Amino acid sequence: MIQDGVMFVCFLLAFTALIAVVEKKIGGKFFKYVPGIVLIYIGAALMKTFGVFSDSESVESAYSTIRGLLLPAMLMLMLLQCDMRKIIRLGPKMLLTFFAASFSIIGGFTLTYVLMNGFYAEGTWKAFSALSASWTGGSANMVILQGILDVPENIFGYALIMDTVNYSIWVMFLFWLVPLAGKFNIWTKADTSFIDQMTSELEAGETAKTEFGFVELIGFLALALIVSAGATKIGEKLPVLGAAVNGTTWTIIIASTVGLILAVTKVGRIAGSMEISKIMLYIVIGLIASHADFSQLFQAPVYIISGFMILFFHGLIMVILAKIFKLDLFTMGVASLANIGGVASAPILAGAFNRSLIPVGILMAVLGSLLGTYFGILTSYILSSF
């Protein structure tokens, strides 16, 4: 049993690194459907369940300190890719469709929670709020909401299972729909001329930043940690508003604001920030999982069914909106996956329609990463009232 905080952190770091190396070296269909981040969670949770990690004061102190430092740092780095000037250029139709997808997901969570509330474990509304943050902005926002709402680790495990199983099915379903885009657009009477124009503009101005090294990595690491520490100190001094807006919430807001400001400067055009932020994400997931317990996993089927109900309500609302407002399948699909899948899958779906549209998927997913935390907070307000 590990009782020393330093050894606890080092052991978790070694474990996450091992999973990352295996995922890269082996790859294949297994890691396509069971990503490394899920294996990290399951592995760390099993180690906690079987007594590898203790509840000593040293371990608890290391857990809270490292997680509290890395959360805002990770978010700030991810937002360096979010140039609001480019997102605005996507046009009102795509932006409104994105927000429609976000609010339909929140509506799906609300309807499902109301209908199935009697089958859930206590504290499920917190886990659903965290999952809502993921399904409107990516896994990083889910981790952030877990910290803000103090979601019980056991219930958080159910949400992570939903995030894997239901998400995977939804991604496959959206890719299956791509060849049917023509028929869908005819049914909705959509005008796709704006997509052709956007394609031409993106092909003409496409740029990429690929080179980075030691200086960029250590620079981003230092920047992220100092912003996180400063945001934490300031956030602790700001007033608490309700159940969700506390010192942690203020810290996240401050860190995200710094990230957005830097995104429109030369800092946002330097490569390497996403690599550092991904490392932080893996570590944070490992930390959270190290406090989980799988003894209640027999309830997982109820949560998986709930996940499909949420996606059904989301899809139904989106189809109705597409018919009413004459929206095309590309806009609908990428908006949905930019919320539920994030940067990992929205660009791939966009590329399935046209390779030059991949940046649109990236920008919409980045918009989700910016707003996912706030959508999750909104969901928490709604679900906590039932």
Side-chain angles (χ1 to χ4, degrees):
M1 178 181 289
I2 298 177
Q3 298 180 331
D4 179 73
V6 174
M7 180 60 69
F8 162 72
V9 173
C10 292
F11 187 87
L12 268 183
L13 181 58
F15 174 68
T16 56
L18 176 63
I19 295 296
V21 171
V22 172
E23 182 179 19
K24 180 179 179 180
K25 295 295 184 181
I26 297 179
K29 291 184 178 181
F30 176 77
F31 282 101
K32 180 179 180 180
Y33 298 105
V34 185
I37 196 171
V38 175
L39 292 179
I40 290 172
Y41 189 97
I42 293 174
L46 287 174
M47 285 186 276
K48 172 63 177 179
T49 302
F50 290 105
V52 176
F53 305 133
S54 73
D55 296 324
S56 68
E57 182 178 347
S58 177
V59 169
E60 292 301 314
S61 176
Y63 167 81
S64 59
T65 300
I66 299 299
R67 193 186 71 164
L69 181 64
L70 292 186
L71 272 176
M74 174 185 68
L75 178 61
M76 191 279 290
L77 287 175
M78 288 184 170
L79 291 180
L80 290 179
Q81 308 300 312
C82 182
D83 189 335
M84 292 300 293
R85 297 171 299 183
K86 294 181 180 179
I87 292 176
I88 292 173
R89 290 180 57 195
L90 291 177
K93 177 181 264 189
M94 298 201 73
L95 290 176
L96 289 174
T97 305
F98 171 85
F99 284 110
S102 300
F103 286 110
S104 68
I105 292 169
I106 295 174
F109 273 97
T110 304
L111 290 171
T112 301
Y113 185 79
V114 171
L115 293 173
M116 301 286 288
N117 193 15
F119 298 95
Y120 297 140
E122 184 178 354
T124 292
W125 71 271
K126 294 183 179 181
F128 274 17
S129 299
L131 182 59
S132 172
S134 175
W135 282 6
T136 54
S139 299
N141 291 290
M142 184 179 184
V143 173
I144 291 166
L145 256 291
Q146 195 275 345
I148 291 176
L149 298 176
D150 194 23
V151 182
E153 282 80 4
N154 299 340
I155 311 300
F156 185 72
Y158 304 150
L160 190 63
I161 291 173
M162 293 169 65
D163 196 30
T164 301
V165 176
N166 299 117
Y167 154 75
S168 299
I169 299 298
W170 188 248
V171 170
M172 289 188 290
F173 175 69
L174 290 179
F175 273 93
W176 173 76
L177 289 178
V178 171
L180 305 177
K183 295 181 179 179
F184 183 89
N185 296 340
I186 292 173
W187 178 70
T188 60
K189 301 180 181 179
D191 179 10
T192 60
S193 59
F194 79 101
I195 296 179
D196 298 331
Q197 180 182 355
M198 186 180 299
T199 301
S200 300
E201 292 178 358
L202 289 170
E203 287 176 342
E206 190 175 280
T207 58
K209 47 183 183 180
T210 56
E211 296 183 1
F212 62 91
F214 168 75
V215 173
E216 288 78 13
L217 293 178
I218 196 171
F220 279 127
L221 179 62
L223 174 64
L225 295 181
I226 195 65
V227 169
S228 175
T232 301
K233 291 296 182 182
I234 297 173
E236 291 173 349
K237 299 181 183 300
L238 294 177
V240 176
L241 303 175
V245 182
N246 49 33
T248 303
T249 309
W250 285 120
T251 299
I252 296 303
I253 292 174
I254 294 169
S256 63
T257 301
V258 172
L260 285 175
I261 293 173
L262 292 177
V264 298
T265 67
K266 292 182 179 179
V267 176
R269 296 191 291 272
I270 301 175
S273 60
M274 291 302 293
E275 285 70 21
I276 294 293
S277 65
K278 187 174 181 180
I279 292 173
M280 293 180 176
L281 176 61
Y282 271 46
I283 296 173
V284 170
I285 285 292
L287 287 169
I288 292 173
S290 70
H291 280 55
D293 186 345
F294 279 164
S295 62
Q296 295 181 338
L297 277 180
F298 65 90
Q299 295 190 39
V302 173
Y303 289 87
I304 293 174
I305 293 172
S306 298
F308 286 122
M309 290 177 63
I310 293 167
L311 292 174
F312 171 77
F313 288 130
H314 160 61
L316 180 62
I317 294 171
M318 292 295 283
V319 169
I320 293 173
L321 291 176
K323 183 63 176 177
I324 294 174
F325 296 102
K326 301 179 179 180
L327 300 174
D328 61 279
L329 186 61
F330 167 77
T331 303
M332 301 295 292
V334 174
S336 175
L337 210 53
N339 279 275
I340 297 175
V343 179
S345 52
I348 300 174
L349 181 63
F353 286 91
N354 190 304
R355 283 189 60 187
S356 62
L357 291 173
I358 290 177
V360 176
I362 295 174
L363 290 173
M364 292 188 73
V366 169
L367 179 60
S369 71
L370 165 64
L371 298 174
T373 297
Y374 308 106
F375 284 138
I377 293 174
L378 174 61
T379 305
S380 71
Y381 275 118
I382 296 173
L383 298 186
S384 62
S385 64
F386 292 100

